[in-house]
Amino acid sequence: SLGDLKGTRYIDDYHLYFPSRADAERALAELHRIAGQFELDINSLKTQIEELPESIDPYWKTQLRIITVYDDDHATSLKALFDRAAELAHDFPHDNVFTYLVKKVETALSRVKLQDKEWTDLVALLLRAAIAEPGALPTILRIFENHDRSPNGLNKALESICLYHASLQQANEVAWALWTAKRLGISLSDEVADAVETVDDDIVALVALELHVNNLLPMPENGFQLWSDYMTAQHLYSDHWLLAYEALEQGWLTSRDGTDYVAGDEYFQLLKKHAVKFYDTSANVEEPDSGYNDDDDDDDDDDSEDLEVDEDDETSEEESTMTPEEIEKVLKQFPQPPPTGGI
């Protein structure tokens, strides 16, 4: 047993405190044992024992915080900021240095006005940051949309992200690259289509299918075969229920046996009846509640701004809402709350 633990939690980061290093080492061994019982692993790269006192903020964050984007010299100060971030990202490869950086830049852009030449330089720096750390894409996308930018070279950057991360089955990175292409109307290549359709992830599938319908992603050589295999009634109750339901309801894929298995299911037909959609085709990356705030930084690997997967998507005025009894009937079919599918 770990006993009476003392510590703090920030998102999915935990800091536990012990009287001695020996106590900390015993606790860490116990955590590994407990995680193993649930077939989980403690990430050794992100787990360490440090003796107090320790710095309040990571060194890299402090270094970036002190660099200011000057009103009278945007270009030089922005380049200095990105250069320092590149050095720190190399020294701290497991921290989200560029994600922090682009949020700082986003806030700076709310108070400074860049000239066209400065925008050209900044766009190049932002695209380089996106390739190095795709977790920064939500903020970069918001910058481009809020400042009406669809820069040259964006398609190459997004394709690079898709090709690299699809081969590693890293769905979050691929999904955000595809979503950025969707929001900014960027056409992607045949090579990207072939790579993306091998990613076994429902959100990647839904965004890619919408891109294909909107003529922004070609038909891959295998014709979305991996995802088409999930278009059956039995997959409504599998890990791929979101794709099996949503792709059929959106009309993006057909069922394998030619039937409307959603309408034929006792429980999912209630969702169909009320035109429930989990994937919002019009969703935007919402503005943050406030300006850049060091106390609100999200250093989480999983960006807190998930792609929109929303039950409250558009329904016509004449359609009634589901009754509590109908909702309960659907939810009883899941041993636990159904996954949102967010990335």
Side-chain angles (χ1 to χ4, degrees), residues 32-188:
H32 278 284
R33 185 189 68 79
I34 295 171
Q37 292 178 345
F38 295 93
E39 299 183 357
L40 299 172
D41 292 320
I42 302 293
N43 189 336
S44 298
L45 294 175
K46 295 186 177 181
T47 305
Q48 58 185 335
I49 296 175
E50 293 184 348
E51 295 187 8
L52 296 177
E54 62 178 352
S55 59
I56 297 174
D57 279 332
Y59 172 77
W60 63 265
K61 185 178 291 187
T62 302
Q63 290 295 300
L64 290 179
R65 183 181 291 124
I66 62 177
I67 300 178
T68 301
V69 178
Y70 294 106
D71 292 341
D72 58 349
D73 193 2
H74 305 147
T76 300
S77 54
L78 282 170
K79 288 178 181 178
L81 184 60
F82 277 86
D83 282 347
R84 186 64 180 129
E87 295 172 352
L88 294 167
H90 181 269
D91 294 336
F92 299 89
H94 304 297
D95 292 321
N96 298 324
V97 174
F98 281 112
T99 298
Y100 180 93
L101 167 70
V102 297
K103 289 179 180 178
K104 182 181 177 75
V105 170
E106 181 183 28
T107 299
L109 291 174
S110 67
R111 63 175 178 78
V112 301
K113 183 176 177 59
L114 301 185
Q115 302 300 317
D116 288 342
K117 176 60 169 66
E118 293 173 325
W119 265 111
T120 300
D121 293 340
L122 176 59
V123 162
L125 294 170
L126 289 173
L127 294 182
R128 186 174 68 168
I131 293 173
E133 193 174 303
L137 269 175
T139 305
I140 293 173
L141 170 58
R142 195 164 54 235
I143 289 173
F144 288 160
E145 289 193 317
N146 290 344
H147 296 274
D148 195 24
R149 300 283 163 174
S150 185
N152 293 331
L154 178 58
N155 64 320
K156 297 298 183 183
L158 297 179
E159 291 193 352
S160 176
I161 293 170
C162 287
L163 292 173
Y164 178 78
H165 292 282
S167 67
L168 301 175
Q169 290 292 306
Q170 293 174 339
N172 187 63
E173 290 82 354
V174 175
W176 272 115
L178 295 176
W179 187 262
T180 301
K182 160 190 153 56
R183 291 294 305 178
L184 298 179
I186 305 297
S187 296
L188 301 174

Side-chain angles (χ1 to χ4, degrees), residues 304-315:
S304 61
E305 302 163 302
D306 288 344
L307 296 186
E308 293 289 340
V309 182
D310 187 2
E311 297 181 25
D312 300 323
D313 197 27
E314 301 169 1
T315 56

